[in-house]
Amino acid sequence: MGRVAVGAAVVGAAAVVGVAALVVRQRMRNSGRWSSAMAIVKEFEENCSTPLVKLRQIADAMTVEMHSGLASDGGSKLKMLISYVDSLPSGDEAGIFYALDLGGTNFRVLRVQLGGKGSGIEHQEFAEATIPPALMSGSSDALFDYIVEKLANFVAEEEQRFHQPEGRQRELGFTFSFPVLQSSINSGTLIRWTKGFSIDDAVGQDVVAELDKALKRKGVEMRVSALVNDTIGTLAGGRYANNDVAIAVILGTGSNAAYIEHANAIPKWRGPLPDSGEMVINMEWGNFKALALPLTEFDIALDVESVNPGEQIFEKLISGMYLGEILRRILLKMAEEASFFGDKIPAKLKIPLTLSTPEMSSMHHDKSPDLHVVKDKLKSILEISNTSLQTRKVVVELCNIIASRGARLAAAGILGVLKKMGRDGPREGGGKTVIAMDGGLYEHYTEYRKCLETTISELLGEGLASSIEFMHSNDGSGIGAALLAASHSLYRW
Ligand code: ADP
Ligand code: MG
């Protein structure tokens, strides 16, 4: 080998060593990043864990809070509101009734035709609209005008056969799924907003009076015969379909539950006791809080930055408005502290609410070998490209941690209600308890729903679990409100 050739070989070797060193350094840096990302995941998983002992503590706390919420006003984070529904629809109701269902992202107008004894719902029809974000924090008049306009269009378009007989007014059930202090079946004042709404001038106002004013402004003749929330509506709708329904749970944008309470468990100061011996209670369980709840730094930050800090803590752990946002927050931390998505922090990841729960659930449900749904979602929503399969697997794992925690906590809440009702053990006559479930999260997030149902079985044990059934009461809240308008109608059928 000549001199020159030797020189070139030395230079070549040096270059090889240099590149190798770079690759090793890069790998070390990558593996360093990877292990710090995994450390964040591990810590998060630990902080989210919900072993059965913990779930039982949470269920017990729920039962205790239910007792104190019933006993005194402000005695608990749970409002335990009297619904003034002391008789659920019997099946004898007949005629045409309307409902408005306002409670979050979607808003529905419905009409049901009831056939009377034994014949059930003969016809039903609905129209749906989204609430424009601007109206969620505007004025009370603007929101109610918008709703009534949709109702007016719906009524204007209906066929002749749905018109009321001469001299009979149209009647409406209003499902308004925010905390309301009810003073009768068709009046009540708004206590506060939840689920991202913040219309100051509506708080403390009578919700039906506000709706009545908008009906007048828009020239719509309609009597508001029942004011309920989605849980009460779902309970009523569920009961109409199945006589064993005794609890309703909503898992949608927000979360809440209602159940049938013995009238003698309700203190006298709460108002007139019903003759039937029963009263439906709207728990407002979204506001439940207990020391045992597994709150992470992400939940705390989400709460502090929300429109209602310190409130609706249970809801912020379990409902659709928040699960995707929790995922965004942990991914952001992993991007910032462990360069999980590379050197640059994806800008979109910094924007609150960019990752919705439906998007999270489609990533969670991705069964493809290369997780291409996860890949596509990361690309289209967060503008993160070139993700490795390993990275995508971690994203799915995070979805699983967040959804399972939510579902298991919801199951613990249900156990708390069953305990309060004395239905968490064997019952005389072996009666069943059916839980009417509704809400987009329950309906569409299969992994969440499966986890909720298996957790109830784990908590109750095989033997008892067979006496508890879940029933998906699709659109139950709206239909239930129409049914309650019917059972509280001005007219006899
Ligand atoms: P609302 O609670 O606003 O009255 P819904 O009961 O229809 O309305 O629930 C809508 C919520 O359900 C959405 O905000 C979302 O959080 C959740 N959701 C809807 N579709 C899905 C889905 N495919 N996967 C997971 N969650 C979903
Ligand atoms: Mg709803």
Side-chain angles (χ1 to χ4, degrees):
M1 209 183 273
R3 244 189 184 166
V4 176
V6 170
V10 168
V11 170
V16 168
V17 170
V19 169
L22 255 180
V23 169
V24 169
R25 216 177 306 145
Q26 181 68 28
R27 278 210 191 123
M28 276 171 61
R29 207 168 77 193
N30 281 350
S31 82
R33 285 171 171 184
W34 186 259
S35 51
S36 33
M38 289 314 98
I40 297 173
V41 174
K42 187 159 177 281
E43 189 190 354
F44 180 62
E45 184 169 22
E46 280 165 12
N47 293 341
C48 285
S49 74
T50 50
L52 291 181
V53 263
K54 182 165 244 180
L55 293 181
R56 293 214 163 84
Q57 284 171 356
I58 293 166
D60 287 342
M62 182 68 84
T63 312
V64 168
E65 291 294 317
M66 290 173 77
H67 276 283
S68 34
L70 277 176
S72 66
D73 195 13
S76 161
K77 294 293 268 182
L78 298 186
K79 288 248 174 251
M80 303 297 285
L81 301 168
I82 308 283
S83 67
Y84 288 88
V85 172
D86 55 0
S87 61
L88 288 160
S90 64
D92 294 346
E93 298 79 6
I96 288 161
F97 297 90
Y98 297 81
L100 286 179
D101 186 350
L102 172 69
T105 331
N106 296 317
F107 158 69
R108 293 179 192 93
V109 188
L110 305 88
R111 182 185 55 242
V112 300
Q113 183 172 17
L114 307 174
K117 226 175 183 48
S119 40
I121 299 170
E122 293 185 328
H123 184 89
Q124 70 187 65
E125 203 174 313
F126 75 96
E128 199 166 50
T130 354
I131 300 290
L135 290 186
M136 293 168 68
S137 52
S139 71
S140 179
D141 285 2
L143 177 70
F144 282 96
D145 279 356
Y146 176 82
I147 294 167
V148 168
E149 247 164 54
K150 300 284 170 199
L151 173 68
N153 293 344
F154 185 73
V155 170
E157 284 164 12
E158 74 189 3
E159 294 167 42
Q160 179 78 32
R161 67 185 171 118
F162 295 123
H163 292 182
Q164 301 287 329
E166 263 298 301
R168 182 170 166 149
Q169 224 185 339
R170 288 192 176 92
E171 289 182 278
L172 172 92
F174 186 19
T175 307
F176 181 76
S177 305
F178 300 95
V180 165
L181 185 61
Q182 205 95 21
S183 41
S184 73
I185 182 67
N186 62 352
S187 64
T189 55
L190 173 63
I191 299 172
R192 59 188 156 77
W193 291 104
T194 54
K195 296 177 273 191
F197 279 69
S198 59
I199 303 170
D200 292 343
D201 67 344
V203 176
Q205 299 299 314
D206 189 307
V207 179
V208 173
E210 293 297 296
L211 179 59
D212 271 335
K213 279 190 272 172
L215 288 166
K216 289 225 165 56
R217 281 197 296 272
K218 299 281 170 191
V220 181
E221 270 195 51
M222 185 102 59
R223 175 182 189 261
V224 185
S225 298
L227 172 66
V228 295
N229 75 1
D230 47 5
T231 52
I232 310 289
T234 301
L235 191 59
R239 186 60 168 262
Y240 190 77
N242 182 329
N243 212 30
D244 290 327
V245 168
I247 301 175
V249 174
I250 302 293
L251 290 161
T253 305
S255 179
N256 192 11
Y259 72 106
I260 303 174
E261 183 55 277
H262 299 293
N264 60 15
I266 300 164
K268 299 272 184 294
W269 65 264
R270 287 246 181 199
L273 287 180
D275 302 330
S276 65
E278 290 185 329
M279 170 63 83
V280 176
I281 302 290
N282 162 24
M283 293 176 59
E284 289 298 334
W285 90 354
N287 202 36
F288 173 67
K289 197 172 165 178
L291 275 177
L293 287 177
L295 289 175
T296 66
E297 60 182 285
F298 308 101
D299 305 299
I300 292 164
L302 179 153
D303 174 50
V304 168
E305 291 164 36
S306 70
V307 293
N308 52 354
E311 283 166 19
Q312 303 292 112
I313 299 297
F314 193 49
E315 177 168 275
K316 286 170 182 163
L317 288 167
I318 69 174
S319 81
M321 180 162 174
Y322 306 99
L323 301 183
E325 172 64 4
I326 300 169
L327 176 62
R328 180 194 69 86
R329 283 171 183 270
I330 171 113
L331 288 176
L332 178 60
K333 173 162 170 162
M334 289 163 70
E336 284 175 340
E337 295 185 11
S339 307
F340 187 59
F341 296 112
D343 288 332
K344 264 182 62 194
I345 298 159
K348 282 273 164 76
L349 203 48
K350 294 184 189 163
I351 307 169
L353 306 175
T354 20
L355 205 50
S356 72
T357 301
E359 310 281 19
M360 165 181 167
S361 101
S362 41
M363 294 198 285
H364 193 173
H365 292 135
D366 187 358
K367 295 286 176 284
S368 66
D370 61 339
L371 295 177
H372 67 259
V373 178
V374 179
K375 184 180 174 193
D376 295 348
K377 292 285 174 196
L378 291 176
K379 178 95 184 31
S380 63
I381 306 160
L382 300 171
E383 292 170 3
I384 301 171
S385 29
N386 302 324
T387 50
S388 68
L389 181 57
Q390 214 181 6
T391 299
R392 302 200 285 270
K393 280 185 178 160
V394 173
V395 173
V396 175
E397 179 52 25
L398 288 169
C399 295
N400 191 46
I401 295 169
I402 296 165
S404 308
R405 178 184 66 164
R408 288 173 68 82
L409 292 175
I414 292 173
L415 176 62
V417 181
L418 288 169
K419 281 183 172 231
K420 175 72 183 70
M421 298 175 85
R423 291 178 183 229
D424 61 319
R427 289 173 63 214
E428 265 175 53
K432 275 198 185 305
T433 301
V434 179
I435 306 171
M437 307 289 300
D438 199 13
L441 182 67
Y442 181 81
E443 189 179 347
H444 303 293
Y445 205 147
T446 314
E447 287 295 330
Y448 185 105
R449 185 175 65 225
K450 283 197 306 205
C451 179
L452 167 66
E453 296 178 1
T454 50
T455 308
I456 282 285
S457 298
E458 283 176 39
L459 285 166
L460 290 173
E462 284 296 317
L464 276 176
S466 60
S467 69
I468 307 292
E469 264 174 35
F470 289 92
M471 177 178 106
H472 179 210
S473 173
N474 204 1
D475 256 336
S477 63
I479 292 166
L483 292 170
L484 287 167
S487 59
H488 295 87
S489 167
L490 279 181
Y491 314 97
R492 296 308 313 158
W493 319 288

